[in-house]
Amino acid sequence: MIPAPFDYAAPNTLAEAFALLEQHGDDAKILAGGHSLIPMMKLRFASPAFLVDINNIPGLSYIREEDGYLRIGAMAREADLDHSELIRSRYPIFTDASKLIADPQVRNMGTIGGNIAHGDAANDHPAVMLAMRAEVVISSAEGQRTVPIDEFFYGFYMTAVQQNEILTEIRIPIPPAGTGNAYHKLERKVGDYATAGVAVQITVDGKGFCTYAGIGLTNVNPTPMRAARSEEALLGQKMTEEAIAEAARLAAEDCNPSDDLRGDEEYKRAMVGVLTRRMIHKALERARR
Amino acid sequence: MKKEITVTINGEKRTAEVEPRMLLVHFIREQLLMTGTHIGCDTSNCGACTILVNGKSIKSCTMLAVQADGKEIITVEGLATTQGLHPIQEGFHLNHGLHCGYCTPGMMMRAVELLENNPNPTEEEIRWGIAGNLCRCTGYNNIVKAIQYAGAKMRGEQLPSTEPEFV
Ligand SMILES: Cc1cc2nc3c(=O)[nH]c(=O)nc-3n(C[C@H](O)[C@H](O)[C@H](O)COP(=O)(O)OP(=O)(O)OC[C@H]3O[C@@H](n4cnc5c(N)ncnc54)[C@H](O)[C@@H]3O)c2cc1C
Ligand code: FES
Ligand code: FES
C-alpha cells in the first residue's frame, strides 16, 4: 500500500514549520513519529497534500523536572521514556504504559506528542495524562497557550490543536509525597490496542485519607475519558475496600464502550471495573513506598 | 515533486531522487536493489521489514524514504564482514533459528539493537524485545537461543550448546 501523492518538507525550526502550516492550511499535516499517520495514509483514510515533518527541529525531545512540572517535549519517543532514569525511578505509570504500547520498533518512532495529538481514544497516553491532570502546551507563530487535558480532546481524531499550531510540550504537575500511580490495559496480544485500559493516580495523607484521585480510561468511550464520579467517590475518603469497590463500580457504569472484535459492551464494562480496582490497589501500594 | 535524498547504506553513500510517498522499504528493495529486507504485512505488525536507522531498529514499511535523508542505514546485507558472519547470523545458523527464513532478516536486525541496548538479556527480555517480529515457522524457541548465543559471543563468553530444540 502506497499513500496518495503529497509534497513534503522537513524544516529545521519551529518558525519555518509554522510558516509552512500557514501556507498550506487544511492541506497540511504534521508528521511526527508517523506510526499513526503513515498507516492511515497507506489505507487512504488520510490523504494530506503536504506533510510538514517536524523530526529535524531540535530541542523538542527533553524529559525533565522543572518549576514543579515534569516536562516532556512533544518529540520524545516512547523509547526515550523507556530509557529515561527519571521516568523509571519516579513515574512508574509510564513504564507500565510504555511496555504495553505497540512493540520496540514502533516505540523507537512513536512520539508522546503524536500519541496525544492523534486524538484517538484507543491510544494509551491520553488516559495516563487524564489521571495525572497534565497540561498540553500548544505553540504557533503567535506564541504559546496551555490547555488542561480535560479541554484537549474534542472528538474522534479531533483535539484542541488548530491547523496553524504544533503541540510542543506535555506538562505534568510533580506529584506530592504519598502519591502512587499505575496503568494497565487488557490486550488480546502484544501490540494490540486496548480492549479496555485504566490509569490511576492517588495521593493519600498521613492518616490514609485520599487527597487526590485521577482516573483515566482507554478505549471505552468515543474520546479518552475521565471517570469523574469514581474520583469524587474517593476524594476525602479513607481508602477502604468498600470505597475502592464503589469507585470501580462507578467507572464501569459511566464508561461507554461499544461492541467490537475485542469484546462486547458488557464484557468491557466488567473489565473497566476490575482494572479500576486493581490499579487503585497498585497505585496505593506504590504510594506507601 | 521528487526530492533528492542521500543515505549511507551499509557504509556506502547513495544519492537518489524519490517521490515523497515512496516507502523506505520500497526504496531499499526496488531502487537500491537490496532485497534482503522483506515485506510481510505492510501494516507495521510483522517486523519482516526491520532495519537499523541511525542504530535504531524501525519498520521500514512505515517510514518514508525522504525521512531517511542524511541517515545511516544498516540492513541484513550489512551484517557480515570480510571476517565472516555477524554473531547474530552465526547464532541463527547454528541454532536453527529459521525455517523458511522470511522473518529472519527483520528478526536479526531487531536482535542487533536489542543486544546493543542490553548485552546480557534474560529470556523474558529477549521475548519482549522481539515482540514486534512475527515468525510463522519456528515457534520462537530457537530464535531465542540464537539471540542468547549471539549475546554470549559478543560478551566474549563461553558459547552455549547449539543443540537445536525440535518440537
Ligand atoms: C503496530 C502498531 C501498534 C500500535 N499500538 C499502540 C498501542 O498499543 N497504544 C498506543 O497508544 N498506540 C499504539 N500505536 C500508535 C503509536 O503509538 C503512534 O506512534 C502514535 O499514536 C502516534 O504518534 P506518532 O509520533 O507516530 O504520530 P504521527 O503518526 O506522526 O501523527 C499522528 C497524528 O498527530 C498529529 N501530530 C503528531 N505530532 C503532533 C504535534 N507535535 N503537534 C500537532 N499535531 C501532531 C499528526 O499530524 C497526525 O494527525 C501503534 C502503532 C502501530 C503502527
Ligand atoms: S512489512 Fe513492515 S512490519 Fe510487516
Ligand atoms: S522462519 Fe519462517 S516465518 Fe520465521
Side-chain angles (χ1 to χ4, degrees):
Chain A
M1 295 173 298
I2 298 167
F6 57 86
D7 206 354
Y8 166 95
N12 295 309
T13 64
L14 274 174
E16 288 170 72
F18 294 138
L20 286 165
L21 289 174
E22 197 65 56
Q23 187 188 336
H24 293 279
D26 282 341
D27 290 339
K29 263 210 169 291
I30 293 163
L31 178 70
H35 273 54
S36 288
L37 185 55
I38 293 174
M40 285 181 72
M41 289 171 64
K42 287 165 81 175
L43 294 167
R44 310 280 171 115
F45 289 149
S47 24
F50 198 93
L51 279 192
V52 181
D53 181 347
I54 59 173
N55 285 274
N56 289 351
I57 303 174
L60 289 176
S61 13
Y62 49 88
I63 303 173
R64 60 170 179 255
E65 286 181 335
E66 192 181 88
D67 303 333
Y69 288 97
L70 168 66
R71 292 164 181 254
I72 306 179
M75 291 303 288
R77 318 261 169 192
E78 303 291 347
D80 296 334
L81 290 170
D82 279 348
H83 296 144
S84 156
E85 197 42 51
L86 172 66
I87 295 292
R88 281 206 284 211
S89 59
R90 302 205 357 108
Y91 298 91
I93 191 168
F94 282 114
T95 314
D96 293 346
S98 75
K99 198 172 178 183
L100 296 168
I101 292 178
D103 59 54
Q105 288 97 313
V106 174
R107 291 202 291 272
N108 272 340
M109 289 302 291
T111 67
I112 187 148
N115 195 288
I116 293 165
H118 190 44
D120 187 345
N123 276 3
D124 295 294
H125 281 300
V128 171
M129 298 306 162
L130 282 165
M132 302 179 90
R133 288 195 167 71
E135 293 166 13
V136 183
V137 180
I138 301 173
S139 305
S140 70
E142 278 82 60
Q144 271 192 357
R145 62 196 183 99
T146 304
V147 176
I149 193 74
D150 284 278
E151 291 163 28
F152 185 77
F153 301 105
Y154 284 10
F156 197 56
Y157 295 142
M158 288 195 319
T159 71
V161 181
Q162 301 301 305
Q163 181 50 48
N164 59 344
E165 296 180 317
I166 299 178
L167 190 168
T168 45
E169 182 181 276
I170 323 284
R171 223 174 251 186
I172 294 159
I174 295 175
T179 300
N181 50 36
Y183 181 72
H184 193 63
K185 82 182 195 195
L186 194 64
E187 55 181 1
R188 296 172 302 178
K189 58 173 263 295
V190 168
D192 192 19
Y193 290 96
T195 303
V198 179
V200 170
Q201 177 160 304
I202 300 282
T203 308
V204 282
D205 66 15
K207 297 191 183 96
F209 288 91
C210 175
T211 57
Y212 174 97
I215 302 180
L217 309 181
T218 301
N219 220 7
V220 287
N221 191 63
T223 54
M225 181 184 155
R226 177 179 296 292
R229 284 205 302 158
S230 307
E231 294 175 353
E232 281 159 29
L234 294 174
L235 262 182
Q237 300 298 311
K238 197 131 190 150
M239 294 297 289
T240 60
E241 204 53 59
E242 294 73 49
I244 294 170
E246 178 61 5
R249 189 188 68 75
L250 290 168
E253 195 171 294
D254 290 353
C255 66
N256 304 292
S258 46
D259 297 344
D260 61 21
L261 286 175
R262 295 190 177 86
D264 61 20
E265 183 194 328
E266 189 187 355
Y267 171 65
K268 290 183 183 179
R269 279 191 198 283
M271 291 309 103
V272 166
V274 170
L275 288 173
T276 303
R277 183 167 49 77
R278 286 191 193 164
M279 288 311 103
I280 294 174
H281 277 293
K282 196 164 179 184
L284 281 175
E285 227 169 80
R286 287 174 172 168
R288 290 193 194 104
R289 256 184 240 150
Chain B
M1 226 203 326
K2 287 200 171 183
K3 303 265 169 202
E4 186 181 283
I5 61 168
T6 300
V7 301
T8 305
I9 183 156
N10 302 324
E12 196 192 332
K13 239 192 176 110
R14 301 286 293 265
T15 299
E17 297 238 307
V18 297
E19 258 192 273
R21 65 171 170 163
M22 178 176 251
L23 300 170
L24 183 54
V25 70
H26 291 143
F27 175 66
I28 291 170
R29 289 176 55 86
E30 290 159 24
Q31 207 151 332
L32 301 182
L33 299 176
M34 296 182 183
T35 52
T37 304
H38 293 167
I39 303 176
C41 63
D42 198 16
T43 57
S44 1
N45 283 287
C46 75
C49 64
T50 302
I51 59 169
L52 300 183
V53 174
N54 284 358
K56 301 255 162 69
S57 56
I58 61 98
K59 294 178 172 177
S60 58
C61 71
T62 310
M63 189 167 179
L64 304 168
V66 282
Q67 287 179 278
D69 187 25
K71 304 249 160 60
E72 180 119 15
I73 297 174
I74 301 179
T75 66
V76 68
E77 288 92 341
L79 287 183
T81 63
T82 47
Q83 322 294 313
L85 294 180
H86 186 281
I88 194 71
Q89 292 173 305
E90 194 177 303
F92 270 74
H93 172 205
L94 294 175
N95 290 280
H96 292 236
L98 60 141
H99 292 185
C100 78
Y102 204 87
C103 70
T104 315
M107 208 55 100
M108 292 198 298
M109 298 320 291
R110 172 60 204 139
V112 168
E113 194 206 354
L114 169 66
L115 290 172
E116 174 80 34
N117 290 340
N118 183 357
N120 195 2
T122 62
E123 178 180 338
E124 197 189 338
E125 285 166 343
I126 292 175
R127 288 184 184 272
W128 275 102
I130 56 169
N133 296 74
L134 301 180
C135 175
R136 297 317 306 263
C137 303
T138 63
Y140 301 98
N141 285 351
N142 290 341
I143 292 178
V144 172
K145 281 193 173 178
I147 297 172
Q148 284 168 332
Y149 175 97
K153 174 139 193 190
M154 288 157 85
R155 295 191 302 274
E157 285 170 17
Q158 206 184 350
L159 298 173
S161 132
T162 54
E163 272 307 298
E165 193 169 305
F166 294 106
V167 276

